[in-house]
Amino acid sequence: MTSRLTIKAFDYQAIPGANGVNLNVAAGGSGPAVVLLHGFPQTHYMWRHVAARLADDHTVVIPDLRGYGASDKPDGSDPATYSKRTMAQDIVTVASALGVDRFGLVGHDRGALVAVRAGLDHPAVVDYLGILDVLPTLDTWAVLRGVDAKVAWHLYLMAQPIGLPEKMIRAVAPEFFGSFLDAWDPGGTTFTPEERAYYIDSSVAAVDSIVADYRATASIDLEMDRVNRERGAQLAMPVGVISQDWGSQLGFDAASLWRAWAPDLTFQPTASGHFMAEENPDEIATFITTLATRPSARVTN
């Protein structure tokens, strides 16, 4: 088992989120607060390079999402346990415990879905949203059609009822999680062997909760997005999206899809791969600091 990796010069503590679920939280720096949420199959550690670049001018808060890393992994038989609404409440609760009442919120992949839900449910506390390489839940399922959808095969696997997906993944868990680290890092240079092993070990220890997180996105999270769309709800704060060009493969215009949710949107394509915060931290740190200085043009739902 690889030892847990930590971000240098950041302080760590376990802080209760929603329903008393403890989150492993790293915090450091000083200035206006920004919360960074990780993606799959990773932990808060993916932000180490970006955090170092932000800490001189920002208070940087970086949790492991519930179900990941060193955070608690509650049983997921109740779909609400890993709904993005519950996970967003975790973030707001943790920030408040740290004395942070307003913050910028930036998420990668899974963390970005939590960030979007926080922006919809808690607009008064989220100053701006940064989204890395993902679509909103409702739009993700809408664009996955035909053989090209095989790029998202794991979404379909983990959407299945409790039991079989977990058993299948546990049978080959290191290979399963390692396959995403390799496929989404085609150059093979983003992670050291120790970092790669750490992400795999952390995920192997969290199979049930990771599957529960993904299963929620095919059920309760999807229904929440549908309700918001029907009501015309939009993100009231400035939103920045930086993404690979998945649309050219799957036939969608990502900027247009995001603009339906976020009227105050900037969309930035990137030549970096999926793990862009580690592959090109200068680009992502600049993306965040630029977003943080945008004037707010809040909308009223």
Side-chain angles (χ1 to χ4, degrees):
M1 177 73 175
T2 299
S3 60
R4 191 170 83 189
L5 298 180
T6 58
I7 301 175
K8 294 179 180 178
F10 273 58
D11 296 324
Y12 280 79
Q13 55 184 306
I15 301 177
N19 310 120
V21 172
N22 284 317
L23 268 62
N24 175 53
V25 182
S30 61
V34 59
V35 180
L36 307 178
L37 305 180
H38 67 84
F40 164 89
Q42 298 182 286
T43 71
H44 79 285
Y45 185 72
M46 63 154 282
W47 291 108
R48 61 199 178 280
H49 302 310
V50 172
R53 288 159 171 78
L54 296 177
D56 285 345
D57 300 305
H58 296 80
T59 297
V60 186
V61 178
I62 321 175
D64 285 332
L65 297 171
R66 67 164 57 201
Y68 290 80
S71 289
D72 286 352
K73 301 168 181 63
D75 177 80
S77 54
D78 180 349
T81 301
Y82 288 94
S83 75
K84 302 307 156 293
R85 174 159 289 155
T86 300
M87 295 172 81
Q89 184 61 59
D90 282 339
I91 305 310
V92 174
T93 301
V94 163
S96 180
L98 290 171
V100 175
D101 296 324
R102 297 178 65 91
F103 50 87
L105 186 55
V106 181
H108 175 250
D109 189 87
R110 308 303 298 169
L113 301 182
V114 176
V116 169
R117 179 47 55 190
L120 289 167
D121 287 359
H122 305 279
V125 303
V126 179
D127 287 330
Y128 58 87
L129 278 178
I131 306 298
L132 277 60
D133 217 33
V134 78
L135 288 176
T137 296
L138 183 63
D139 298 291
T140 294
W141 292 110
V143 303
L144 294 175
R145 298 186 298 271
V147 69
D148 289 333
K150 68 182 183 295
V151 69
W153 65 276
H154 58 300
L155 273 66
Y156 294 93
L157 172 62
M158 291 191 275
Q160 303 309 309
I162 294 174
L164 188 58
E166 294 88 342
K167 184 176 182 180
M168 292 173 67
I169 292 169
R170 274 194 295 270
V172 289
E175 293 87 352
F176 177 80
F177 294 113
S179 71
F180 299 102
L181 294 172
D182 297 339
W184 297 339
D185 178 32
T189 59
T190 299
F191 313 115
T192 67
E194 182 184 20
E195 290 163 355
R196 183 180 183 278
Y198 162 68
Y199 286 139
I200 291 172
D201 288 347
S202 296
S203 297
V204 169
V207 169
D208 287 0
S209 51
I210 289 174
V211 175
D213 168 33
Y214 272 85
R215 183 177 289 117
T217 300
S219 55
I220 190 169
D221 295 338
L222 183 59
E223 290 307 313
M224 289 177 187
D225 269 20
R226 284 175 175 154
V227 169
N228 285 135
R229 176 57 56 84
E230 290 170 0
R231 293 176 178 174
Q234 294 179 310
L235 294 162
M237 64 291 298
V239 177
V241 177
I242 184 168
S243 182
Q244 300 179 88
D245 187 15
W246 293 106
S248 63
Q249 178 179 350
L250 296 173
F252 64 86
D253 180 344
S256 294
L257 293 177
W258 272 109
R259 195 163 285 111
W261 294 96
D264 187 3
L265 176 75
T266 59
F267 185 88
Q268 179 179 332
T270 180
S272 297
H274 182 63
F275 300 113
M276 55 190 70
E278 290 160 289
E279 180 183 339
N280 193 345
D282 286 336
E283 178 183 42
I284 301 307
T286 298
F287 166 77
I288 294 170
T289 55
T290 300
L291 180 58
T293 59
R294 276 175 54 194
S296 177
R298 290 176 173 268
V299 298
T300 302
N301 291 333

